Amino acid sequence: MLEDLTTAASPASWPAAYPQGYAVVDVETTGLARDDRIISAAVYRLDARGEVEDHWYTMVNPERDPGPVWIHGLTSEMLDGAPFFHEVAEEFAARLADRVLVAHNAVFDWSMIAREYARVEREAPVRQRLCTIALSKELRLPLPNHKLESLAAHFGVVQQRAHHALDDARVLAEAFRPSLRAAARDGVRLPLLECRPLKEWSDSPAAPRIGRQSGGYPSGSWRPSRKRPACPHPNPGRYEEGKPLKQGMRVAFSGDTSVDRELLEDRAVEAGLHVATSLSRLTSLLVTNDPDSGTSKVVKARQFGTPVIDEAAFGQLLRDVEPATEG
């Protein structure tokens, strides 16, 4: 199957609208919160047809506790002599420039990268991203779940060091190539999303730091809580599976999200949706990554018959929100 896919799209049939190059990225972090830091990063640069051009890897001193060492394997001692992010920012940027960022659950990797660049008062040179979870859904791959290991197994790619940024990026690059060529063969539009660099940063008490110190950059938090203006569009009713979202729909969130919750809510508001803090019979849609969690919102969604989708699916729906029907 892999051999068939890698030769499926000849140069003559390659879609002209496809990007000219990709940066397949994986970052390991101290955690998932808004003030967590990158501790290692890897980039595989691919050409327009998914062939590897080169790769790059670095550890990064997060200036704090490394977090779940049992997952990523990077201890404080290992990170003590690693460069700070501002010392690798230029080379990292050179690897990303003029390419589509590709990652598995790309909204998370992009959010972490964007925050690190905002801390050093720069912008990552990324304008579009592509999530391989979204692409696998577009291709309707018969995967048991959306883990990287499942995508890799589907294409016969062997993982050597799970949760090591360089190996995860290699695995993803090898799985992305046949996915890209299958999309080209079948005329599938790539699920590209816009990347908006973060510019807002507010100081907060510093987290415990590790290793050598510098004048450095403070730990921080994003966008203090604020009251959102009322949605200007009327509620058009419930979301229906297979149809687009419509401006004015009431959207609620439950549980942890891979992208910062406020940033995810901002994207919804910018698209013309009504972000609800609670769930009622008027709620159009519930977004949660754990539909079996039994939270009060999930329970109410079941009682009210409110549609439930995950964060990745919601991100795709945000690409094409229909305008409101006024009147």
Side-chain angles (χ1 to χ4, degrees):
M1 181 177 184
L2 178 59
E3 182 178 355
D4 291 340
L5 288 178
T6 57
T7 59
S10 66
S13 65
W14 200 264
Y18 275 25
Q20 294 303 301
Y22 304 88
V24 178
V25 173
D26 185 75
V27 296
E28 297 299 320
T29 66
T30 60
L32 306 179
R34 67 183 66 180
D35 60 348
D36 276 301
R37 305 295 302 272
I38 289 175
I39 56 174
S40 66
V43 181
Y44 267 74
R45 291 197 291 189
L46 311 182
D47 66 15
R49 289 172 175 76
E51 296 295 337
V52 175
E53 296 177 333
D54 57 31
H55 64 266
W56 173 82
Y57 169 78
T58 185
M59 290 192 293
V60 180
N61 187 324
E63 304 181 79
R64 54 160 290 173
D65 184 274
V69 174
W70 60 91
I71 294 178
H72 53 63
L74 297 177
T75 65
S76 297
E77 291 73 21
M78 295 169 67
L79 296 169
D80 185 14
F84 296 110
F85 188 83
H86 72 272
E87 296 175 317
V88 300
E90 184 174 353
E91 186 170 5
F92 197 2
R95 302 281 170 170
L96 301 174
D98 302 319
R99 294 171 186 268
V100 170
L101 184 150
V102 177
H104 202 66
N105 193 9
V107 68
F108 172 75
D109 293 79
W110 164 245
S111 296
M112 297 302 298
I113 291 168
R115 288 173 190 160
E116 291 289 4
Y117 275 96
R119 287 185 179 98
V120 299
E121 300 180 347
R122 293 183 57 170
E123 292 184 7
V126 178
R127 296 297 170 261
Q128 289 183 308
R129 66 178 182 269
L130 188 157
C131 179
T132 47
I133 295 176
L135 180 57
S136 68
K137 290 181 178 180
E138 292 284 343
L139 295 173
R140 299 183 180 180
L141 300 181
L143 305 178
N145 53 54
H146 295 295
K147 295 180 179 180
L148 176 58
E149 62 189 48
S150 297
L151 181 65
H154 178 76
F155 289 116
V157 180
V158 179
Q159 178 94 60
Q160 296 174 351
R161 296 182 63 187
H163 299 296
H164 184 282
L166 183 60
D167 196 54
D168 280 353
R170 175 193 62 82
V171 168
L172 189 58
E174 292 185 14
F176 176 63
R177 184 189 308 110
S179 298
L180 177 64
R181 296 187 177 190
R185 177 198 63 197
D186 297 338
V188 174
R189 186 179 70 170
L190 297 181
L192 302 175
L193 289 178
E194 179 185 4
C195 288
R196 298 182 180 181
L198 303 181
K199 298 180 180 180
E200 299 180 43
W201 177 262
S202 60
D203 293 345
S204 70
R209 296 187 172 189
I210 68 169
R212 55 191 170 90
Q213 304 299 309
S214 71
Y217 304 93
S219 292
S221 61
W222 295 97
R223 301 185 179 184
S225 60
R226 61 206 185 279
K227 185 176 181 180
R228 299 182 183 279
C231 180
H233 309 296
N235 186 352
R238 296 279 178 85
Y239 164 72
E240 297 180 41
E241 186 176 358
K243 295 185 178 181
L245 291 171
K246 197 167 188 177
Q247 289 183 330
M249 284 187 171
R250 299 173 70 99
V251 179
F253 298 88
S254 177
D256 292 335
T257 52
S258 61
V259 68
D260 183 279
R261 174 68 67 82
E262 289 186 357
L263 297 179
L264 190 60
E265 291 177 351
D266 281 353
R267 288 186 58 202
V269 170
E270 289 169 2
L273 302 177
H274 178 150
V275 174
T277 56
S278 60
L279 196 137
S280 71
R281 295 184 185 278
L282 297 177
T283 307
S284 307
L285 180 69
L286 176 65
V287 179
T288 178
N289 290 326
D290 190 2
D292 300 319
S293 63
T295 64
S296 60
K297 288 181 181 177
V298 170
V299 171
K300 286 183 178 179
R302 289 173 178 164
Q303 292 174 345
F304 299 151
T306 303
V308 178
I309 63 172
D310 63 23
E311 181 183 350
F314 181 65
Q316 293 305 304
L317 288 171
L318 282 178
R319 294 169 49 205
D320 298 299
V321 178
E322 284 190 348
T325 302
E326 309 292 348

